[in-house]
Amino acid sequence: MTVILGIDIGGSGIKGAPVDTATGQLLAERWRIPTPEGAKPADVTRVVKELVEHFQHGGPVGITFPGIVQHGVTLSAANVDQGWIGLDADRLFTDATGCDVHLINDADAAGLAEAKFGAGVGVPGVVMVLTFGTGIGSALINDGVLVPNTELGHLWLRDKHAESWASDRARENDDLNWKQWSKRAVTYLQHLELLFSPDLFIIGGGISKKADRWRDLVTLERSQVVPAALLNDAGIVGAALYAELEAGREKPPRPASVKAQHVEQSATRKTGTKKADPVKKATKAPAKKSK
């Protein structure tokens, strides 16, 4: 049995538990500490160290992060302090805890967990895990192998930024009922289906706990859609699985400087700007002259 501590950094709480990576089972009750206001690196590191000490853990540690992670360096910070951008977070956490730490994007961690122990078990081909919460996280799995940092919540649907329009937060902010939100979710999923043709969509994040309210409303013609099975444990389990995969591997050298990835502006349009759709522009009737 391999026991690895998994830690899930979230917007409201940072939680962790030791995981048996052979079964995906938590070996102790989850311990949760509120995320420090502003989620600055030093404050989050203090909480991570506290969790490691709480479980008296001295082995490898897997940690999720709500943003792009490349070779342990955090490259975006959509919902946390901007000080994370370009930070060697692997090294920061390793130095603070004395453990071998491996960082992974939070949705990617959920994807690994669902593919091995959840709704994606035994499903061949392309599986896409989407976490609907404050935003929309995405994990792309092909025959059990993760393609990291897809960030498909930042796609645009004509003039709609996907996660700003179809996330669980958007449902709450726009006071949508479940039928109204489901129409948005289906529009988004249809776009992903056109681009990737997955065999299965797994819907995770906070929305998965309310699957009985949307399960019969979110359907597609080609791809199957199911709720996630691991719920709040997915991040912890996936982080531990990733640390097991990476433990013992030599980490690549870090560049002297890292260019930040501004994911909100990396799609076809910048947030807050409008660009005419080429089809609409070609077919739009001429404006009437004012008298």
Side-chain angles (χ1 to χ4, degrees), residues 2 4 21 60 62 100 102 104 108 112-113 116 144-146 237-250:
T2 301
I4 293 180
T21 55
D100 182 20
H102 299 275
I104 181 174
D108 284 345
L112 286 178
K116 187 166 184 179
V145 179
L146 173 70
V237 174
L241 289 175
Y242 181 71
E244 181 181 45
L245 290 172
E246 294 295 311
R249 291 185 184 178
E250 184 177 352

Side-chain angles (χ1 to χ4, degrees), residues 134-170:
T134 302
I136 300 176
S138 63
L140 183 63
I141 309 288
N142 184 36
D143 287 335
V145 179
L146 173 70
V147 180
N149 293 313
T150 48
E151 293 290 343
L152 298 177
H154 296 290
L155 288 174
W156 285 83
L157 310 173
R158 292 189 181 272
D159 61 341
K160 306 295 185 184
H161 179 230
E163 72 171 21
S164 302
W165 184 65
S167 64
D168 194 33
R169 172 182 279 182

